Every structure is written in structure tokens, then in C-alpha cells.
């Protein structure tokens, strides 16, 4: 009876080991895409840039230069340098950014989260955009790391500066990841602008169950076609990324043949 009072039950970022159990319980798989950056062993940020075509290298340098010309520096803040005051500032940026989108702002984190996050300092990275003191930021992003991967990013800003978002949320984290030998950076869902900055599209599977049988039947008939179209779009998007001819083509191919992508295709074949 409780389930029937809900329109649907939805699971995002599902552990692959749990997925068969959910599908056996009546959930349907829905494929979407998310951009992720991988580090094949870049020596520095310039090595990362070298993979792009000349036009995109100019674009990235221009975007970074615009932030510097505004008198801002982005500094990674880690460990004991992350203070309660800085986390409170991050909460301000986060809440302000979510408020810009009104009811669609997806404000998942509460003030109490940022207060408790002081205990998570070994796993956090704050990227502070400042005019002199990293402890007095005008914009900031929050990421989580485990030594192998970097995940993010919540962010916000008190200034309306073109390209600041790209620097705080993508370029500075990528530079930090390269310095630390981080292998992978997942910046979160959404944003076609991520692709042009080296984040390859990858399939992500969410699981859904709908309580209304008629509504469920409509979506289940539609999902196989939609999922196939999504995989085709992922291939098309990655084929148009602004890399130099031949550069990272092997990485692109490996992404298309990744376990997640292959499992998604097997799922579609099974449903046909």
C-alpha cells in the first residue's frame, strides 16, 4: 500500500552488484550520460592541453587568462587548512547558487552537513578563488577525493565573472588531479560544456519502478528505444570532441568499450 501512494521509486548511481536484485524486484534500467575526465599519465596541465586541437588549446588558455586578469587566483585548500569558517563560506556559496534556480535548484545539502564536514577534511578539497587570501574567497568549489578519484563539484560565487566557473570547477581540479596522480575526475551530472574540456561522455544507469501499471507500461515500451538512442548519442558526442587528430583516439575507443557501456549494450540486446 505504501508503494501505491508513491508515483515512482528511483535509484541513481546504482552499485552494479545491486542492479540485478533491483531489476528482479521490478525496476527498469534507464541509461543517461555523464562526462568524466581520465588521466592517462599527464605530466602537467600543458600535457593535458596538448591533447586538444589548436583552437581548443587557445580557448582554454584564454578562459584561464581572463580569470587571472581579473586579479583572481584559484588555490586548492586541503587538510587542516580547511576550517569551519571556510566550510561555512562554502555553504553560503552552495545555497546561493541553488537559490538561483528556484525550485529546480536541487539543494540536497543542509547547513548541518557543512558543519559536520569538518570531520571529513582528509577526503575534501576546496578550490578557493581569491584576490589574495585563500581564506577569503569570492567563489569556491567543493570536491571529494580518495587518492585515486576526484568527485564534485558543488560551487558558488559572489561575483559574476565570465569563465570563473570553468576555472574553479574544471581547470583547477584537473591541474590538482594531475599533480597528485589522480586517475579520474567525475564532476557531476549535466553540462554539455564539459565535453569540450576533455570530459568524455559515459553511460550511467538509473533504476526506476512506477506504481501506476499504465504509466509503467508506457515507459517500459519506450525505454529500450530511448536507451539505444542514448548510447548512439554518447558515441556521436565523443567522436566530435576537440582533440588533435589521432590523439586520445585509443582512450575514446576504450571508453566506448568500457564495462559499463558493454553491459548497457548487452542489456539492450537482452530486452529485444
Amino acid at each position: 500500500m505504501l508503494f501505491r501512494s508513491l508515483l515512482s521509486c528511483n535509484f541513481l548511481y546504482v552499485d552494479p552488484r545491486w542492479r540485478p536484485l533491483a531489476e528482479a524486484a521490478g525496476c527498469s534500467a534507464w541509461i543517461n550520460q555523464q562526462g568524466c575526465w581520465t588521466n592517462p599519465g599527464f605530466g602537467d596541465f600543458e600535457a593535458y592541453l596538448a591533447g586538444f586541437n589548436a583552437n581548443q588549446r587557445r580557448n582554454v588558455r584564454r578562459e584561464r587568462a581572463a580569470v587571472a586578469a581579473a586579479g583572481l587566483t584559484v588555490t586548492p585548500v586541503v587538510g587542516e587548512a580547511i576550517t569551519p569558517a571556510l566550510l561555512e563560506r562554502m555553504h553560503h556559496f552552495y545555497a546561493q547558487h541553488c537559490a538561483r534556480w528556484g525550485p529546480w535548484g536541487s539543494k540536497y545539502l543542509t547547513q548541518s552537513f557543512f558543519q559536520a564536514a569538518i570531520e571529513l577534511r582528509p577526503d575534501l578539497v576546496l578550490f578557493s578563488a581569491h584576490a589574495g587570501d585563500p581564506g577569503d574567497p569570492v567563489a569556491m568549489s567543493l570536491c571529494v577525493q580518495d587518492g585515486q578519484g576526484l568527485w564534485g563539484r558543488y560551487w558558488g560565487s559572489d561575483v559574476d565573472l565570465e569563465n570563473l566557473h570553468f576555472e574553479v570547477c574544471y581547470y583547477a581540479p584537473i591541474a590538482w588531479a594531475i599533480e597528485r596522480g589522480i586517475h579520474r575526475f567525475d564532476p557531476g551530472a549535466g553540462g554539455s560544456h564539459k565535453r569540450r574540456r576533455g570530459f568524455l561522455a559515459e553511460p550511467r544507469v538509473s533504476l526506476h519502478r512506477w506504481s501506476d501499471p499504465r504509466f509503467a507500461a508506457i515507459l517500459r515500451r519506450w525505454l529500450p528505444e530511448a536507451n539505444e538512442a542514448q548510447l548512439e548519442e554518447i558515441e556521436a558526442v565523443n567522436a566530435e570532441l576537440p582533440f588533435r587528430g589521432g590523439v586520445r583516439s585509443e582512450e575514446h575507443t576504450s571508453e566506448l568499450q568500457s564495462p559499463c557501456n558493454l553491459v548497457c549494450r548487452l542489456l539492450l540486446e537482452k530486452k529485444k
Side-chain angles (χ1 to χ4, degrees):
M1 292 300 295
L2 176 61
F3 177 67
R4 291 187 177 278
S5 68
L6 302 174
L7 175 62
S8 63
C9 185
N10 309 285
F11 302 93
L12 308 179
Y13 300 99
V14 178
D15 187 324
R17 296 170 297 180
W18 186 68
R19 179 175 162 184
L21 300 176
E23 290 182 313
C27 290
S28 297
W30 194 332
I31 299 174
N32 211 310
Q33 60 175 282
Q34 186 159 328
C36 286
W37 174 85
T38 55
N39 181 5
F42 295 127
D44 52 27
F45 193 85
E46 282 299 312
Y48 151 75
L49 281 185
F52 292 109
N53 60 35
N55 183 59
Q56 185 60 8
R57 288 198 300 275
R58 283 193 299 269
N59 287 339
V60 173
R61 291 190 176 110
R62 175 181 52 80
E63 290 168 349
R64 302 199 82 187
V67 174
L72 297 180
T73 301
V74 178
T75 300
V77 183
V78 298
E80 297 297 319
I82 298 177
T83 63
L86 207 51
L87 287 170
E88 179 60 31
R89 189 71 175 148
M90 184 64 231
H91 172 247
H92 159 78
F93 287 130
Y94 168 73
Q96 177 178 271
H97 181 72
C98 291
R100 292 176 57 189
W101 304 99
W104 296 276
S106 302
K107 188 181 177 183
Y108 301 119
L109 306 180
T110 63
Q111 185 174 16
S112 60
F113 166 84
F114 289 92
Q115 292 169 344
I118 195 68
E119 303 297 330
L120 305 175
R121 282 186 294 188
D123 303 317
L124 301 181
V125 189
L126 299 176
F127 294 93
S128 168
H130 57 90
D133 179 5
D136 185 23
V138 299
M140 193 156 49
S141 67
L142 166 68
C143 293
V144 178
Q145 63 86 27
D146 67 355
Q148 298 294 319
L150 184 67
W151 293 268
R153 71 300 165 250
Y154 293 114
W155 101 290
S157 174
D158 280 342
V159 297
D160 186 10
L161 177 64
E162 187 177 8
N163 301 317
L164 181 58
H165 168 257
F166 299 142
E167 179 65 24
V168 174
C169 295
Y170 306 130
Y171 301 141
I174 285 174
W176 185 85
I178 291 172
E179 290 176 2
R180 300 300 187 282
I182 298 288
H183 299 305
R184 184 177 175 83
F185 175 29
D186 183 338
S192 58
H193 50 270
K194 295 186 179 76
R195 309 291 185 260
R196 293 193 57 79
R197 288 157 182 87
F199 293 85
L200 275 70
E202 295 181 358
R204 289 288 184 274
V205 176
S206 56
L207 294 168
H208 308 266
R209 184 178 174 185
W210 301 278
S211 57
D212 187 302
R214 294 169 297 177
F215 187 54
I218 291 171
L219 286 171
R220 284 176 178 147
R221 284 197 300 268
W222 169 78
L223 271 176
E225 180 180 348
N227 287 342
E228 178 64 36
Q230 188 64 240
L231 289 177
E232 291 175 358
E233 181 179 330
I234 289 171
E235 293 188 15
V237 165
N238 286 339
E240 296 178 359
L241 292 178
F243 295 133
R244 286 194 294 122
V247 174
R248 299 189 73 179
S249 60
E250 182 177 339
E251 180 182 339
H252 175 209
T253 301
S254 68
E255 290 292 343
L256 298 181
Q257 297 177 346
S258 67
C260 184
N261 208 336
L262 293 176
V263 166
C264 288
R265 290 207 170 277
L266 288 173
L267 167 70
L268 292 178
E269 291 299 322
K270 180 180 178 182
K271 297 294 184 182
K272 290 179 179 179

